Amino acid sequence: MFSENLYLFPMIFTAGNMFCGLLSIILSIKGNFSKASWLIILGILFDGADGLIAKLKKASSSVGVELDSFADFVTFCIAPMVLVWQLVMYRYKFPGAVVCFIYVFFGALRLARFNIVSHNLKQTLYCSKFIEGLPTPAAAGVVVSIMLLFEVSLGPDISISKSHLTFLIALIPWLLNFFPAIILFLAFLMITKLKYPKVNNLRLTQRVSFKFFSIVLVLILLVFAYPETFVFLVFSMYLLYGLVEYLSRSYKIFKEKRISNDTK
């Protein structure tokens, strides 16, 4: 038996996350790609709730951290690659399998690195507002959102469907042509030191301005009105945040060095 006590609420959400990943794999193998995709999105929500509850209640344990990583590996590394293999990557045969493996391996490497950092610098990581490298849920979200758009593009009445934005559907052929490169790019981002905001830093009980509340409300309504396309936009914007932040930070450092050299 475990000598360490386990926290019930975070553990339930972790188990829910892992179950979503397993069920997604099963449905992908059966060819039910849309439900398999939404189960990964549901796993992302479970994972976010798990971290948020653990932080609010300070209900974190070393066993919980390790189990959360196993759940993330199943739902955000294995399940998305089974989905894309069944839907797209099988066309590339062995090179496609290699691309999927690289994504899975880099995802595992990213989770292992996070665990090491969280054990060694637990207090610093707890207080930090940012995390290094693209989180595995965000990488999986980008992959799955592209698959959802692809599924919508195969629909019979795409011209009159209200569940998508037409200009994004037009990008699908381009995205699929470069899909192996996109998978490799996401894998690379997971092991970089780009800074991404920690979603579980959100405080649901804090006061916000009416403007901020209105923006959040509109975004939620848009997600329900155009689920596939706005899921894609949300995860794409999060991915771009790290790149933009890095370029902005690099430009500031370059500008400061240039001013320093000019004053000498």
Side-chain angles (χ1 to χ4, degrees), residues 88-152:
V88 177
M89 296 299 287
Y90 72 92
R91 303 171 187 174
Y92 298 94
K93 299 181 180 180
F94 182 72
V98 171
V99 169
C100 291
F101 170 75
I102 291 173
Y103 177 94
V104 170
F105 181 75
F106 279 22
L109 193 62
R110 192 248 180 279
L111 292 169
R113 186 182 71 178
F114 176 80
N115 281 0
I116 292 171
V117 172
S118 65
H119 287 313
N120 294 339
L121 301 172
K122 187 173 183 180
Q123 187 62 34
T124 304
L125 191 65
Y126 181 82
C127 298
S128 175
K129 294 182 179 180
F130 296 93
I131 191 170
E132 287 188 350
L134 181 67
T136 53
V142 174
V143 172
V144 169
S145 62
I146 294 174
M147 293 297 95
L148 284 171
L149 287 178
F150 180 53
E151 281 285 280
V152 170

Short mmCIF file of all heavy atoms in Angstrom, two decimals, residues 88-152:
data_model
loop_
_atom_site.label_atom_id
_atom_site.label_comp_id
_atom_site.label_asym_id
_atom_site.label_seq_id
_atom_site.Cartn_x
_atom_site.Cartn_y
_atom_site.Cartn_z
N VAL A 88 -4.81 10.32 -41.12
CA VAL A 88 -3.97 10.98 -42.12
C VAL A 88 -2.62 10.29 -42.33
O VAL A 88 -2.25 9.97 -43.46
CB VAL A 88 -3.72 12.47 -41.73
CG1 VAL A 88 -2.78 13.13 -42.73
CG2 VAL A 88 -5.02 13.23 -41.65
N MET A 89 -1.88 10.06 -41.25
CA MET A 89 -0.47 9.71 -41.36
C MET A 89 -0.20 8.32 -41.93
O MET A 89 0.92 8.02 -42.33
CB MET A 89 0.21 9.85 -40.00
CG MET A 89 0.23 11.27 -39.46
SD MET A 89 1.12 12.43 -40.51
CE MET A 89 2.80 11.91 -40.19
N TYR A 90 -1.22 7.45 -41.96
CA TYR A 90 -1.02 6.12 -42.55
C TYR A 90 -0.61 6.21 -44.02
O TYR A 90 0.02 5.30 -44.56
CB TYR A 90 -2.30 5.29 -42.41
CG TYR A 90 -3.43 5.73 -43.31
CD1 TYR A 90 -3.59 5.17 -44.58
CD2 TYR A 90 -4.33 6.71 -42.90
CE1 TYR A 90 -4.61 5.58 -45.42
CE2 TYR A 90 -5.34 7.13 -43.73
CZ TYR A 90 -5.49 6.57 -44.99
OH TYR A 90 -6.50 6.98 -45.82
N ARG A 91 -0.96 7.33 -44.66
CA ARG A 91 -0.61 7.52 -46.08
C ARG A 91 0.89 7.59 -46.29
O ARG A 91 1.40 7.27 -47.36
CB ARG A 91 -1.25 8.81 -46.60
CG ARG A 91 -2.76 8.88 -46.45
CD ARG A 91 -3.27 10.27 -46.79
NE ARG A 91 -4.70 10.42 -46.49
CZ ARG A 91 -5.35 11.57 -46.59
NH1 ARG A 91 -4.71 12.67 -46.99
NH2 ARG A 91 -6.64 11.63 -46.31
N TYR A 92 1.61 8.03 -45.26
CA TYR A 92 3.07 8.19 -45.38
C TYR A 92 3.83 6.92 -44.99
O TYR A 92 5.05 6.88 -45.04
CB TYR A 92 3.53 9.35 -44.50
CG TYR A 92 2.93 10.68 -44.90
CD1 TYR A 92 1.77 11.16 -44.28
CD2 TYR A 92 3.53 11.47 -45.88
CE1 TYR A 92 1.21 12.39 -44.64
CE2 TYR A 92 2.98 12.69 -46.25
CZ TYR A 92 1.83 13.14 -45.62
OH TYR A 92 1.28 14.34 -45.98
N LYS A 93 3.08 5.89 -44.56
CA LYS A 93 3.65 4.58 -44.21
C LYS A 93 4.73 4.70 -43.13
O LYS A 93 4.51 5.35 -42.11
CB LYS A 93 4.15 3.90 -45.48
CG LYS A 93 3.02 3.65 -46.48
CD LYS A 93 3.51 2.94 -47.73
CE LYS A 93 2.35 2.72 -48.69
NZ LYS A 93 2.78 2.04 -49.94
N PHE A 94 5.90 4.10 -43.35
CA PHE A 94 6.92 4.08 -42.30
C PHE A 94 7.41 5.48 -41.90
O PHE A 94 7.54 5.75 -40.69
CB PHE A 94 8.12 3.22 -42.73
CG PHE A 94 9.19 3.11 -41.67
CD1 PHE A 94 8.97 2.35 -40.53
CD2 PHE A 94 10.39 3.79 -41.80
CE1 PHE A 94 9.94 2.24 -39.55
CE2 PHE A 94 11.36 3.71 -40.82
CZ PHE A 94 11.14 2.93 -39.70
N PRO A 95 7.69 6.41 -42.84
CA PRO A 95 8.07 7.77 -42.42
C PRO A 95 6.99 8.43 -41.55
O PRO A 95 7.32 9.17 -40.62
CB PRO A 95 8.24 8.52 -43.75
CG PRO A 95 8.61 7.45 -44.72
CD PRO A 95 7.81 6.24 -44.30
N GLY A 96 5.72 8.15 -41.84
CA GLY A 96 4.65 8.69 -41.01
C GLY A 96 4.69 8.14 -39.59
O GLY A 96 4.46 8.87 -38.62
N ALA A 97 5.02 6.84 -39.46
CA ALA A 97 5.15 6.23 -38.14
C ALA A 97 6.32 6.85 -37.37
O ALA A 97 6.24 7.05 -36.15
CB ALA A 97 5.35 4.72 -38.27
N VAL A 98 7.41 7.15 -38.08
CA VAL A 98 8.57 7.78 -37.44
C VAL A 98 8.20 9.16 -36.92
O VAL A 98 8.58 9.54 -35.79
CB VAL A 98 9.75 7.88 -38.43
CG1 VAL A 98 10.88 8.72 -37.85
CG2 VAL A 98 10.26 6.48 -38.79
N VAL A 99 7.45 9.93 -37.70
CA VAL A 99 7.02 11.27 -37.27
C VAL A 99 6.15 11.17 -36.02
O VAL A 99 6.33 11.93 -35.06
CB VAL A 99 6.25 11.98 -38.41
CG1 VAL A 99 5.58 13.25 -37.89
CG2 VAL A 99 7.19 12.32 -39.56
N CYS A 100 5.21 10.21 -36.01
CA CYS A 100 4.36 10.01 -34.84
C CYS A 100 5.19 9.61 -33.62
O CYS A 100 4.94 10.08 -32.50
CB CYS A 100 3.31 8.95 -35.13
SG CYS A 100 2.05 9.46 -36.33
N PHE A 101 6.19 8.77 -33.83
CA PHE A 101 7.04 8.34 -32.72
C PHE A 101 7.83 9.52 -32.14
O PHE A 101 7.97 9.63 -30.92
CB PHE A 101 8.03 7.25 -33.18
CG PHE A 101 9.08 6.95 -32.15
CD1 PHE A 101 8.77 6.21 -31.02
CD2 PHE A 101 10.38 7.43 -32.29
CE1 PHE A 101 9.73 5.94 -30.05
CE2 PHE A 101 11.35 7.17 -31.33
CZ PHE A 101 11.03 6.42 -30.20
N ILE A 102 8.34 10.37 -33.01
CA ILE A 102 9.10 11.53 -32.53
C ILE A 102 8.23 12.41 -31.65
O ILE A 102 8.66 12.89 -30.59
CB ILE A 102 9.67 12.34 -33.73
CG1 ILE A 102 10.76 11.53 -34.42
CG2 ILE A 102 10.22 13.69 -33.27
CD1 ILE A 102 11.27 12.16 -35.72
N TYR A 103 6.98 12.62 -32.07
CA TYR A 103 6.05 13.42 -31.26
C TYR A 103 5.84 12.76 -29.89
O TYR A 103 5.90 13.42 -28.85
CB TYR A 103 4.72 13.56 -32.00
CG TYR A 103 3.66 14.31 -31.22
CD1 TYR A 103 3.47 15.68 -31.39
CD2 TYR A 103 2.83 13.65 -30.30
CE1 TYR A 103 2.52 16.37 -30.68
CE2 TYR A 103 1.87 14.33 -29.58
CZ TYR A 103 1.72 15.69 -29.76
OH TYR A 103 0.77 16.37 -29.05
N VAL A 104 5.58 11.44 -29.89
CA VAL A 104 5.34 10.72 -28.63
C VAL A 104 6.58 10.77 -27.74
O VAL A 104 6.49 11.01 -26.53
CB VAL A 104 4.95 9.25 -28.93
CG1 VAL A 104 4.93 8.43 -27.63
CG2 VAL A 104 3.58 9.19 -29.59
N PHE A 105 7.76 10.55 -28.33
CA PHE A 105 9.00 10.54 -27.55
C PHE A 105 9.30 11.92 -26.96
O PHE A 105 9.65 12.03 -25.79
CB PHE A 105 10.17 10.10 -28.43
CG PHE A 105 11.48 10.03 -27.71
CD1 PHE A 105 11.76 8.99 -26.83
CD2 PHE A 105 12.44 11.02 -27.88
CE1 PHE A 105 12.96 8.93 -26.15
CE2 PHE A 105 13.65 10.97 -27.20
CZ PHE A 105 13.91 9.92 -26.33
N PHE A 106 9.16 12.97 -27.77
CA PHE A 106 9.42 14.32 -27.27
C PHE A 106 8.38 14.72 -26.22
O PHE A 106 8.70 15.45 -25.28
CB PHE A 106 9.42 15.33 -28.42
CG PHE A 106 10.72 15.38 -29.17
CD1 PHE A 106 11.60 14.32 -29.15
CD2 PHE A 106 11.05 16.49 -29.93
CE1 PHE A 106 12.80 14.35 -29.84
CE2 PHE A 106 12.25 16.55 -30.62
CZ PHE A 106 13.13 15.47 -30.59
N GLY A 107 7.14 14.23 -26.38
CA GLY A 107 6.13 14.49 -25.36
C GLY A 107 6.50 13.84 -24.04
O GLY A 107 6.36 14.45 -22.97
N ALA A 108 6.99 12.59 -24.11
CA ALA A 108 7.44 11.90 -22.90
C ALA A 108 8.63 12.62 -22.28
O ALA A 108 8.73 12.75 -21.05
CB ALA A 108 7.81 10.45 -23.24
N LEU A 109 9.54 13.10 -23.12
CA LEU A 109 10.71 13.83 -22.64
C LEU A 109 10.30 15.12 -21.96
O LEU A 109 10.84 15.49 -20.91
CB LEU A 109 11.64 14.13 -23.82
CG LEU A 109 13.06 14.61 -23.52
CD1 LEU A 109 13.83 13.56 -22.74
CD2 LEU A 109 13.79 14.95 -24.82
N ARG A 110 9.32 15.79 -22.52
CA ARG A 110 8.83 17.04 -21.93
C ARG A 110 8.20 16.79 -20.56
O ARG A 110 8.42 17.53 -19.61
CB ARG A 110 7.80 17.66 -22.89
CG ARG A 110 7.44 19.10 -22.53
CD ARG A 110 6.03 19.19 -22.06
NE ARG A 110 5.70 20.58 -21.73
CZ ARG A 110 6.02 21.16 -20.60
NH1 ARG A 110 6.70 20.49 -19.68
NH2 ARG A 110 5.71 22.41 -20.33
N LEU A 111 7.40 15.73 -20.45
CA LEU A 111 6.77 15.39 -19.17
C LEU A 111 7.81 14.97 -18.13
O LEU A 111 7.70 15.33 -16.95
CB LEU A 111 5.76 14.26 -19.38
CG LEU A 111 4.50 14.64 -20.18
CD1 LEU A 111 3.71 13.39 -20.54
CD2 LEU A 111 3.63 15.62 -19.40
N ALA A 112 8.83 14.21 -18.55
CA ALA A 112 9.89 13.78 -17.63
C ALA A 112 10.67 14.99 -17.13
O ALA A 112 10.98 15.09 -15.93
CB ALA A 112 10.82 12.80 -18.33
N ARG A 113 10.96 15.92 -18.02
CA ARG A 113 11.70 17.13 -17.62
C ARG A 113 10.89 17.96 -16.64
O ARG A 113 11.42 18.47 -15.65
CB ARG A 113 12.05 17.97 -18.85
CG ARG A 113 12.95 19.16 -18.55
CD ARG A 113 13.22 20.00 -19.78
NE ARG A 113 12.05 20.74 -20.20
CZ ARG A 113 12.02 21.58 -21.24
NH1 ARG A 113 13.11 21.74 -21.97
NH2 ARG A 113 10.93 22.22 -21.56
N PHE A 114 9.60 18.07 -16.91
CA PHE A 114 8.73 18.83 -16.01
C PHE A 114 8.70 18.21 -14.61
O PHE A 114 8.73 18.91 -13.61
CB PHE A 114 7.31 18.89 -16.58
CG PHE A 114 6.32 19.57 -15.68
CD1 PHE A 114 6.27 20.95 -15.62
CD2 PHE A 114 5.47 18.84 -14.87
CE1 PHE A 114 5.37 21.59 -14.77
CE2 PHE A 114 4.57 19.46 -14.02
CZ PHE A 114 4.52 20.84 -13.98
N ASN A 115 8.63 16.87 -14.54
CA ASN A 115 8.61 16.20 -13.25
C ASN A 115 9.89 16.43 -12.46
O ASN A 115 9.88 16.65 -11.25
CB ASN A 115 8.38 14.70 -13.43
CG ASN A 115 6.93 14.38 -13.69
OD1 ASN A 115 6.08 15.27 -13.72
ND2 ASN A 115 6.62 13.11 -13.89
N ILE A 116 11.02 16.38 -13.16
CA ILE A 116 12.31 16.61 -12.51
C ILE A 116 12.38 18.03 -11.95
O ILE A 116 12.78 18.25 -10.80
CB ILE A 116 13.48 16.36 -13.49
CG1 ILE A 116 13.56 14.87 -13.83
CG2 ILE A 116 14.79 16.83 -12.88
CD1 ILE A 116 14.53 14.55 -14.93
N VAL A 117 11.96 18.99 -12.75
CA VAL A 117 11.98 20.39 -12.31
C VAL A 117 11.02 20.60 -11.15
O VAL A 117 11.33 21.30 -10.18
CB VAL A 117 11.62 21.33 -13.49
CG1 VAL A 117 11.45 22.76 -13.00
CG2 VAL A 117 12.69 21.28 -14.57
N SER A 118 9.83 19.99 -11.23
CA SER A 118 8.83 20.17 -10.16
C SER A 118 9.29 19.57 -8.85
O SER A 118 8.96 20.08 -7.78
CB SER A 118 7.49 19.56 -10.59
OG SER A 118 7.60 18.15 -10.73
N HIS A 119 10.07 18.48 -8.90
CA HIS A 119 10.58 17.87 -7.67
C HIS A 119 11.73 18.70 -7.07
O HIS A 119 11.81 18.87 -5.86
CB HIS A 119 11.06 16.45 -7.93
CG HIS A 119 9.95 15.48 -8.14
ND1 HIS A 119 8.85 15.40 -7.30
CD2 HIS A 119 9.74 14.53 -9.10
CE1 HIS A 119 8.03 14.47 -7.73
NE2 HIS A 119 8.55 13.92 -8.82
N ASN A 120 12.59 19.23 -7.94
CA ASN A 120 13.76 19.96 -7.47
C ASN A 120 13.46 21.40 -7.09
O ASN A 120 14.07 21.96 -6.18
CB ASN A 120 14.86 19.94 -8.53
CG ASN A 120 15.40 18.54 -8.77
OD1 ASN A 120 15.27 17.67 -7.92
ND2 ASN A 120 15.99 18.32 -9.92
N LEU A 121 12.52 22.01 -7.81
CA LEU A 121 12.21 23.42 -7.58
C LEU A 121 10.72 23.58 -7.36
O LEU A 121 10.06 24.39 -7.99
CB LEU A 121 12.66 24.28 -8.78
CG LEU A 121 14.14 24.22 -9.15
CD1 LEU A 121 14.38 24.94 -10.47
CD2 LEU A 121 14.99 24.86 -8.06
N LYS A 122 10.16 22.81 -6.44
CA LYS A 122 8.72 22.76 -6.25
C LYS A 122 8.13 24.12 -5.91
O LYS A 122 7.15 24.57 -6.50
CB LYS A 122 8.37 21.75 -5.16
CG LYS A 122 6.88 21.51 -5.02
CD LYS A 122 6.62 20.38 -4.04
CE LYS A 122 5.13 20.10 -3.95
NZ LYS A 122 4.83 18.99 -3.02
N GLN A 123 8.72 24.84 -4.97
CA GLN A 123 8.16 26.12 -4.54
C GLN A 123 8.28 27.17 -5.63
O GLN A 123 7.35 27.94 -5.88
CB GLN A 123 8.91 26.61 -3.28
CG GLN A 123 8.29 27.85 -2.64
CD GLN A 123 6.88 27.63 -2.17
OE1 GLN A 123 6.52 26.55 -1.73
NE2 GLN A 123 6.03 28.64 -2.28
N THR A 124 9.43 27.19 -6.32
CA THR A 124 9.63 28.16 -7.40
C THR A 124 8.65 27.91 -8.53
O THR A 124 8.05 28.84 -9.07
CB THR A 124 11.07 28.07 -7.95
OG1 THR A 124 11.98 28.26 -6.87
CG2 THR A 124 11.32 29.12 -9.01
N LEU A 125 8.47 26.63 -8.90
CA LEU A 125 7.57 26.28 -9.98
C LEU A 125 6.13 26.59 -9.60
O LEU A 125 5.32 27.01 -10.43
CB LEU A 125 7.72 24.79 -10.31
CG LEU A 125 7.04 24.28 -11.59
CD1 LEU A 125 7.69 24.91 -12.80
CD2 LEU A 125 7.12 22.78 -11.67
N TYR A 126 5.80 26.41 -8.32
CA TYR A 126 4.44 26.65 -7.84
C TYR A 126 4.08 28.13 -7.97
O TYR A 126 2.97 28.49 -8.34
CB TYR A 126 4.33 26.20 -6.39
CG TYR A 126 2.97 26.37 -5.79
CD1 TYR A 126 1.98 25.42 -6.01
CD2 TYR A 126 2.68 27.47 -4.98
CE1 TYR A 126 0.72 25.57 -5.45
CE2 TYR A 126 1.42 27.62 -4.41
CZ TYR A 126 0.46 26.66 -4.65
OH TYR A 126 -0.79 26.81 -4.10
N CYS A 127 5.04 29.00 -7.71
CA CYS A 127 4.79 30.44 -7.75
C CYS A 127 4.92 31.02 -9.15
O CYS A 127 4.47 32.14 -9.41
CB CYS A 127 5.76 31.17 -6.81
SG CYS A 127 5.57 30.70 -5.07
N SER A 128 5.58 30.31 -10.05
CA SER A 128 5.83 30.82 -11.39
C SER A 128 4.54 30.96 -12.19
O SER A 128 3.63 30.15 -12.08
CB SER A 128 6.80 29.90 -12.13
OG SER A 128 6.97 30.33 -13.46
N LYS A 129 4.48 32.01 -13.00
CA LYS A 129 3.33 32.24 -13.85
C LYS A 129 3.51 31.61 -15.23
O LYS A 129 2.57 31.56 -16.02
CB LYS A 129 3.07 33.74 -14.01
CG LYS A 129 2.66 34.43 -12.72
CD LYS A 129 2.38 35.89 -12.96
CE LYS A 129 1.94 36.60 -11.66
NZ LYS A 129 1.66 38.03 -11.88
N PHE A 130 4.72 31.16 -15.53
CA PHE A 130 5.01 30.60 -16.85
C PHE A 130 5.62 29.21 -16.72
O PHE A 130 6.11 28.82 -15.66
CB PHE A 130 5.97 31.52 -17.61
CG PHE A 130 5.40 32.87 -17.91
CD1 PHE A 130 5.61 33.95 -17.06
CD2 PHE A 130 4.64 33.08 -19.05
CE1 PHE A 130 5.07 35.19 -17.33
CE2 PHE A 130 4.10 34.31 -19.34
CZ PHE A 130 4.32 35.37 -18.48
N ILE A 131 5.57 28.49 -17.83
CA ILE A 131 6.13 27.15 -17.90
C ILE A 131 6.98 27.06 -19.16
O ILE A 131 6.66 27.67 -20.18
CB ILE A 131 5.00 26.11 -17.90
CG1 ILE A 131 5.54 24.71 -17.71
CG2 ILE A 131 4.16 26.21 -19.17
CD1 ILE A 131 4.47 23.68 -17.46
N GLU A 132 8.09 26.32 -19.08
CA GLU A 132 8.99 26.21 -20.22
C GLU A 132 8.53 25.12 -21.17
O GLU A 132 8.23 24.00 -20.75
CB GLU A 132 10.42 25.92 -19.75
CG GLU A 132 11.12 27.10 -19.12
CD GLU A 132 12.58 26.82 -18.84
OE1 GLU A 132 13.00 25.65 -18.96
OE2 GLU A 132 13.30 27.77 -18.51
N GLY A 133 8.50 25.44 -22.45
CA GLY A 133 8.10 24.48 -23.46
C GLY A 133 6.60 24.42 -23.64
O GLY A 133 5.83 24.69 -22.70
N LEU A 134 6.15 24.09 -24.85
CA LEU A 134 4.72 23.97 -25.11
C LEU A 134 4.16 22.79 -24.32
O LEU A 134 4.62 21.66 -24.48
CB LEU A 134 4.49 23.75 -26.61
CG LEU A 134 3.03 23.64 -27.07
CD1 LEU A 134 2.31 24.97 -26.88
CD2 LEU A 134 2.96 23.19 -28.52
N PRO A 135 3.18 23.01 -23.45
CA PRO A 135 2.61 21.90 -22.67
C PRO A 135 1.99 20.84 -23.58
O PRO A 135 1.45 21.17 -24.65
CB PRO A 135 1.54 22.59 -21.81
CG PRO A 135 1.95 24.03 -21.76
CD PRO A 135 2.59 24.31 -23.07
N THR A 136 2.05 19.60 -23.15
CA THR A 136 1.49 18.52 -23.97
C THR A 136 -0.01 18.68 -24.24
O THR A 136 -0.45 18.35 -25.35
CB THR A 136 1.75 17.14 -23.30
OG1 THR A 136 1.29 17.17 -21.95
CG2 THR A 136 3.24 16.81 -23.33
N PRO A 137 -0.82 19.19 -23.29
CA PRO A 137 -2.24 19.39 -23.63
C PRO A 137 -2.43 20.40 -24.76
O PRO A 137 -3.31 20.21 -25.61
CB PRO A 137 -2.84 19.92 -22.31
CG PRO A 137 -1.93 19.44 -21.25
CD PRO A 137 -0.56 19.46 -21.86
N ALA A 138 -1.62 21.45 -24.78
CA ALA A 138 -1.73 22.46 -25.84
C ALA A 138 -1.31 21.88 -27.19
O ALA A 138 -1.95 22.13 -28.21
CB ALA A 138 -0.88 23.68 -25.50
N ALA A 139 -0.23 21.10 -27.20
CA ALA A 139 0.22 20.46 -28.44
C ALA A 139 -0.86 19.52 -28.96
O ALA A 139 -1.19 19.51 -30.16
CB ALA A 139 1.52 19.70 -28.21
N ALA A 140 -1.44 18.71 -28.07
CA ALA A 140 -2.51 17.80 -28.46
C ALA A 140 -3.73 18.58 -28.94
O ALA A 140 -4.41 18.16 -29.89
CB ALA A 140 -2.90 16.91 -27.28
N GLY A 141 -4.00 19.73 -28.31
CA GLY A 141 -5.13 20.56 -28.72
C GLY A 141 -4.98 21.06 -30.14
O GLY A 141 -5.96 21.09 -30.90
N VAL A 142 -3.77 21.47 -30.52
CA VAL A 142 -3.53 21.92 -31.89
C VAL A 142 -3.77 20.77 -32.87
O VAL A 142 -4.44 20.92 -33.90
CB VAL A 142 -2.10 22.47 -32.05
CG1 VAL A 142 -1.81 22.80 -33.52
CG2 VAL A 142 -1.91 23.71 -31.19
N VAL A 143 -3.20 19.60 -32.57
CA VAL A 143 -3.35 18.43 -33.43
C VAL A 143 -4.81 18.06 -33.60
O VAL A 143 -5.32 17.88 -34.72
CB VAL A 143 -2.56 17.23 -32.86
CG1 VAL A 143 -2.89 15.96 -33.65
CG2 VAL A 143 -1.07 17.50 -32.90
N VAL A 144 -5.52 17.96 -32.49
CA VAL A 144 -6.92 17.52 -32.52
C VAL A 144 -7.80 18.54 -33.21
O VAL A 144 -8.73 18.17 -33.95
CB VAL A 144 -7.41 17.27 -31.08
CG1 VAL A 144 -8.90 17.08 -31.04
CG2 VAL A 144 -6.73 16.03 -30.50
N SER A 145 -7.54 19.84 -33.01
CA SER A 145 -8.36 20.86 -33.65
C SER A 145 -8.22 20.82 -35.17
O SER A 145 -9.19 21.06 -35.89
CB SER A 145 -8.00 22.25 -33.10
OG SER A 145 -6.64 22.58 -33.40
N ILE A 146 -7.02 20.50 -35.65
CA ILE A 146 -6.84 20.35 -37.10
C ILE A 146 -7.63 19.14 -37.60
O ILE A 146 -8.26 19.17 -38.67
CB ILE A 146 -5.34 20.19 -37.45
CG1 ILE A 146 -4.58 21.49 -37.14
CG2 ILE A 146 -5.16 19.83 -38.94
CD1 ILE A 146 -3.08 21.38 -37.32
N MET A 147 -7.62 18.05 -36.82
CA MET A 147 -8.38 16.87 -37.19
C MET A 147 -9.89 17.15 -37.20
O MET A 147 -10.63 16.65 -38.05
CB MET A 147 -8.08 15.72 -36.23
CG MET A 147 -6.65 15.19 -36.32
SD MET A 147 -6.24 14.45 -37.94
CE MET A 147 -5.47 15.86 -38.78
N LEU A 148 -10.36 17.97 -36.26
CA LEU A 148 -11.77 18.34 -36.22
C LEU A 148 -12.15 19.16 -37.45
O LEU A 148 -13.22 18.95 -38.04
CB LEU A 148 -12.08 19.13 -34.94
CG LEU A 148 -12.16 18.31 -33.65
CD1 LEU A 148 -12.26 19.23 -32.44
CD2 LEU A 148 -13.35 17.36 -33.68
N LEU A 149 -11.28 20.10 -37.83
CA LEU A 149 -11.54 20.88 -39.05
C LEU A 149 -11.56 19.97 -40.27
O LEU A 149 -12.36 20.15 -41.19
CB LEU A 149 -10.46 21.96 -39.22
CG LEU A 149 -10.52 23.16 -38.28
CD1 LEU A 149 -9.35 24.10 -38.55
CD2 LEU A 149 -11.84 23.91 -38.44
N PHE A 150 -10.65 18.99 -40.30
CA PHE A 150 -10.61 18.05 -41.41
C PHE A 150 -11.90 17.24 -41.48
O PHE A 150 -12.45 17.02 -42.57
CB PHE A 150 -9.41 17.11 -41.23
CG PHE A 150 -9.27 16.09 -42.33
CD1 PHE A 150 -9.24 16.47 -43.67
CD2 PHE A 150 -9.17 14.73 -42.02
CE1 PHE A 150 -9.11 15.53 -44.68
CE2 PHE A 150 -9.04 13.79 -43.02
CZ PHE A 150 -9.01 14.19 -44.35
N GLU A 151 -12.42 16.82 -40.33
CA GLU A 151 -13.68 16.08 -40.30
C GLU A 151 -14.84 16.94 -40.80
O GLU A 151 -15.70 16.48 -41.53
CB GLU A 151 -13.97 15.61 -38.88
CG GLU A 151 -13.19 14.38 -38.45
CD GLU A 151 -13.74 13.12 -39.09
OE1 GLU A 151 -14.75 12.58 -38.62
OE2 GLU A 151 -13.15 12.67 -40.09
N VAL A 152 -14.85 18.24 -40.42
CA VAL A 152 -15.89 19.14 -40.87
C VAL A 152 -15.82 19.32 -42.38
O VAL A 152 -16.84 19.37 -43.08
CB VAL A 152 -15.77 20.52 -40.16
CG1 VAL A 152 -16.70 21.54 -40.81
CG2 VAL A 152 -16.11 20.38 -38.69
#
